């Protein structure tokens, strides 16, 4: 059985894990000292060799993204950390920044040095005020200790870090919408190309990385690429957080090598809540096609999950037992996407709105079997035709749920409404 690999979460049980003293007591910032003695390009090569892939969902190789910055561009370079975590079911970056903010700050310093940037931004979701305060305190501690600012540790490297609070828009998790928001504009995705590596923040070369991606860098610098590749699979190296929520006995963060299975994770989490069985689950948040109990042994790495018909995404494993109405669950997800659509493109703005109407109609018992074809037709007009990935992601739960649970949709038509007692899916009603 695969074992857990507590690395980023190793010291979360320390009462002072979020302080500079607590972080340094367990070796914190030693990787920064090592990095500052290396050539910046050597760090980029090291991250490439490690096989670290973006932990924000897409899984793009981190070192390769760093290497895309043009060498002949005279504009300043920027590092932007995407901490606008807001995908339904995803909760890994928020607890990481709360319990161990300095590993992110150290990662920012190393990554900025590697890409030759003297200005970095951490864009945090505005609602998590407690996280913003803790992160700002960590940055202040790092400045006071000479780990940020001018001539860091006598290396001649200067770095300023700004913690920026967003206004609470899901669309700002898309990297170009995040950049527009950071510049003071309404958060809406940009047309690509040009890509951020060429013309990102303030039309300058910019690297945008997820919190967990940047937080993984100090460990790679300190321990080497082989240490990182010793975990995970050949093409999906390393470790990551698997966020288990829903109808599971012990929900929470499980830091494990990529390639672990849900069956193994459920064993560690005490299984499905007592007296119930697994019905469906999301491997990477609500914008990924759902899986069923048939996929319990699918390795949770980018390639295996993709081959099985879904995406690893943010490893947000939302677990649903047999008391859950799949139509109602999907309807709530699509209501979220309809609300969070920026409205810039017609397919997403209109498509999500109309899917909400159809799903609500089915849930009320006013739908017909033709509504299933209507939903799939709307998805066909959304998938690959929206301005950014929000529209594509919204089609995933609809299409996959009809594929796996078509009869349940039809039951809503035949029985004149939802056949489920929704109270049984709740914590207090599950044992009835």
């Amino acid at each position: 059985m695969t074992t857990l690999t507590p690395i980023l979460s190793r010291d979360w049980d320390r009462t002072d894990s979020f302080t500079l003293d607590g972080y340094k007591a367990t070796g914190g910032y030693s990787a920064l000292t090592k990095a500052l003695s290396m050539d910046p390009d050597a760090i980029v090569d090291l991250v490439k060799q490690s096989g670290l892939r973006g932990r924000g969902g897409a899984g793009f190789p981190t070192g390769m993204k760093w290497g895309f910055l043009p060498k002949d561009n005279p504009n300043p370079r920027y590092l932007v950390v995407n901490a606008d975590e807001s995908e339904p079911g995803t909760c890994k970056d928020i607890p990481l920044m709360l319990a161990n903010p300095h590993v992110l700050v150290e990662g920012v310093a190393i990554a900025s040095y590697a890409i030759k940037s003297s200005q970095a931004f951490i864009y945090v979701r505005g609602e998590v005020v407690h996280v913003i305060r803790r992160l700002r305190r960590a940055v202040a501690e790092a400045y006071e200790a000479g780990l940020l600012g001018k001539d860091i540790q006598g290396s001649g490297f200067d770095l300023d870090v700004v913690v920026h609070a967003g206004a609470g828009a899901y669309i700002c998790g898309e990297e170009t919408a995040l950049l527009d928001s950071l510049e003071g504009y309404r958060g809406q995705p940009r047309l690509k190309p040009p890509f951020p590596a060429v013309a990102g923040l303030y039309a300058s070369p910019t690297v945008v990385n997820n919190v967990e991606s940047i937080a993984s860098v100090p460990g790679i610098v300190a321990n080497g690429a082989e240490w990182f590749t010793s975990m995970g699979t050949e093409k999906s190296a390393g470790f990551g957080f698997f966020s288990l929520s829903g109808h599971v006995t012990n929900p929470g963060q499980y830091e494990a090598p990529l390639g672990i299975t849900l069956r193994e994770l459920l064993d560690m989490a005490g299984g499905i809540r007592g007296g119930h069985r697994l019905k469906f689950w999301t491997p990477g948040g609500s914008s990924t096609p759902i899986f069923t109990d048939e996929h319990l042994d699918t390795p949770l790495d980018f390639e295996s999950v993709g081959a099985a018909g879904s995406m690893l995404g943010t490893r947000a494993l939302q677990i649903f037992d047999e008391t859950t109405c799949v139509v109602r669950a999907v309807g709530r997800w699509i209501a979220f996407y309809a609300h969070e659509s920026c409205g810039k493109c017609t397919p997403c703005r209109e498509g999500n709105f109309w899917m909400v109407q159809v799903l609500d109609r089915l849930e009320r018992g006013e739908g017909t079997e033709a509504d299933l074809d209507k939903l799939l037709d709307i998805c066909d007009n959304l998938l690959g035709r929206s301005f950014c990935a929000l529209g594509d992601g919204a089609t995933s739960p609809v299409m996959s749920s009809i594929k796996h649970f078509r009869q349940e949709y039809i039951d809503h038509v035949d029985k004149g409404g939802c056949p489920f007692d929704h109270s049984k899916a709740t914590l207090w009603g599950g044992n009835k």
Side-chain angles (χ1 to χ4, degrees):
M1 181 174 177
T2 306
T3 57
L4 295 177
T5 52
I7 296 168
L8 297 178
S9 60
R10 180 189 62 190
D11 300 314
W12 283 11
D13 58 345
R14 287 179 62 110
T15 57
D16 61 350
S17 66
F18 57 90
T19 66
L20 177 60
D21 289 342
Y23 183 62
K24 293 185 77 171
T26 55
Y29 287 104
S30 60
L32 175 59
T33 301
K34 180 179 179 180
L36 292 174
S37 68
M38 299 170 63
D39 182 77
D41 290 339
I43 300 174
V44 176
D45 289 338
L46 177 66
V47 174
K48 286 181 180 177
Q49 293 165 20
S50 73
L52 173 65
R53 296 175 65 172
R55 297 305 197 234
F60 193 83
T62 302
M64 187 181 296
K65 180 181 273 193
W66 293 1
F68 284 157
L69 295 179
K71 299 185 184 303
D72 57 351
N73 193 311
N75 292 339
R77 295 179 170 194
Y78 297 106
L79 173 69
V80 176
V81 178
N82 186 344
D84 190 60
E85 183 173 69
S86 48
E87 177 77 13
T90 303
C91 186
K92 60 184 183 65
D93 297 338
I94 296 299
L96 173 60
M97 291 185 288
L98 191 63
N100 192 6
H102 279 283
V103 74
L104 175 59
V105 175
E106 183 178 19
V108 166
I110 295 171
S112 298
Y113 176 73
I115 66 171
K116 304 180 179 69
S117 168
S118 60
Q119 179 71 65
F121 296 87
I122 304 174
Y123 185 102
V124 189
R125 188 162 183 80
E127 289 91 338
V128 289
V129 178
H130 54 305
V131 176
I132 295 168
R133 288 171 177 163
R134 183 155 287 183
L135 195 54
R136 283 179 173 165
R137 178 58 191 151
V139 168
E141 285 184 313
Y143 268 106
E144 292 166 6
L147 299 166
L148 295 176
K150 301 291 184 183
D151 191 25
I152 298 174
Q153 294 187 337
S155 64
F157 173 57
D158 301 337
L159 176 64
D160 282 319
V161 176
V162 174
V163 178
H164 179 89
Y170 171 77
I171 192 63
C172 288
E174 197 277 335
E175 63 178 15
T176 62
L178 185 155
L179 295 177
D180 263 18
S181 175
L182 199 52
E183 290 179 1
Y185 299 106
R186 180 179 180 181
Q188 289 190 322
R190 300 175 180 176
L191 184 65
K192 294 183 286 188
F195 292 92
V198 176
L201 188 66
Y202 308 127
S204 297
T206 304
V207 168
V208 183
N209 280 135
N210 173 259
V211 168
E212 192 183 354
S213 305
I214 293 296
S216 299
V217 170
I220 294 171
V221 171
N223 301 299
E226 290 185 4
W227 165 80
F228 193 77
T229 56
S230 69
M231 296 170 278
T233 65
E234 182 180 354
K235 293 183 178 180
S236 297
F239 53 89
F241 287 109
F242 293 85
S243 309
L244 270 67
S245 63
H247 295 146
V248 59
T249 304
N250 296 307
Q253 307 299 329
Y254 292 81
E255 194 175 9
L258 300 187
I260 194 172
T261 66
L262 178 62
R263 189 184 299 276
E264 292 174 307
L265 286 167
L266 283 176
D267 285 344
M268 297 174 185
I272 302 296
R273 61 176 180 166
H276 297 281
R277 57 179 175 78
L278 177 65
K279 181 176 179 179
F280 66 99
W281 55 288
T282 65
S286 60
S287 62
T288 58
I290 63 173
F291 276 165
T292 66
D293 56 359
E294 297 176 5
H295 304 93
L296 269 170
D297 296 310
T298 300
L300 295 174
D301 59 66
F302 292 103
E303 289 71 34
S304 300
V305 174
S310 189
M311 296 176 289
L312 187 61
T314 55
R315 286 153 283 121
L317 309 176
Q318 298 174 91
I319 312 298
F320 300 92
D321 64 25
E322 82 288 350
T323 64
T324 308
C325 169
V326 71
V327 179
R328 188 168 189 251
V330 170
R332 289 194 167 190
W333 285 332
I334 302 306
F336 170 83
Y337 290 120
H339 180 271
E340 294 295 335
S341 174
C342 75
K344 185 168 186 173
C345 70
T346 303
C348 181
R349 182 184 66 243
E350 299 298 323
N352 280 298
F353 170 80
W354 285 110
M355 284 202 292
V356 169
Q357 311 310 307
V358 176
L359 288 163
D360 284 352
R361 188 163 67 230
L362 284 164
E363 186 70 7
R364 293 194 307 267
E366 299 170 3
T368 67
E369 195 167 336
D371 282 332
L372 276 68
D373 293 329
K374 175 63 70 178
L375 284 169
L376 294 175
D377 182 60
I378 294 172
C379 288
D380 186 55
N381 282 284
L382 250 176
L383 187 61
R385 292 174 171 85
S386 57
F387 204 86
C388 76
L390 191 157
D392 290 350
T395 68
S396 296
V398 175
M399 296 174 70
S400 58
S401 63
I402 293 176
K403 173 185 175 182
H404 293 298
F405 298 99
R406 187 180 186 90
Q407 186 57 50
E408 190 166 311
Y409 277 86
I410 295 173
D411 288 345
H412 280 69
V413 176
D414 293 343
K415 297 180 181 179
C418 184
F420 287 82
D421 178 353
H422 297 154
S423 69
K424 290 186 177 180
T426 63
L427 179 64
W428 59 86
N431 295 321
K432 291 181 181 178

